[in-house]
Amino acid sequence: AHVIQKQVNRVVTCIIKHRTIPATKQMCKMLGFDAGQAVYPQKQFKDAEISALKKDLDEIGWPFN
């Protein structure tokens, strides 16, 4: 349980770093679930922000197997 909690904590930290709602929707899209775009007042992700999110998620090994 401790190992799994550490993984979850890293994902949550990453989501918060990249703005919670847009990051969560982008992560769903990466997994094949179209959750649509974040709506106002949330800002849409730009390509650079998507790349930064993917880079950070790759560094923590998400999605976990």
Side-chain angles (χ1 to χ4, degrees), residues 38-57:
V39 296
Y40 183 82
Q42 298 293 322
K43 296 183 180 183
Q44 303 299 317
F45 264 4
K46 296 178 179 160
D47 290 340
E49 293 170 307
I50 294 170
S51 295
L53 174 63
K54 286 180 181 179
K55 179 183 175 278
D56 287 349
L57 291 171

Side-chain angles (χ1 to χ4, degrees), residues 5-64:
Q5 185 64 56
K6 285 176 70 174
Q7 291 174 327
V8 170
N9 291 347
R10 288 189 299 230
V11 172
V12 169
T13 300
C14 185
I15 290 171
I16 292 169
K17 175 183 175 183
H18 292 280
R19 297 186 321 230
T20 305
I21 294 172
T24 303
K25 288 181 170 279
Q26 186 62 41
M27 291 169 70
C28 288
K29 188 174 184 178
M30 291 175 188
L31 292 173
F33 301 100
D34 187 2
Q37 298 284 335
V39 296
Y40 183 82
Q42 298 293 322
K43 296 183 180 183
Q44 303 299 317
F45 264 4
K46 296 178 179 160
D47 290 340
E49 293 170 307
I50 294 170
S51 295
L53 174 63
K54 286 180 181 179
K55 179 183 175 278
D56 287 349
L57 291 171
D58 286 343
E59 287 177 4
I60 62 173
W62 183 87
F64 306 113

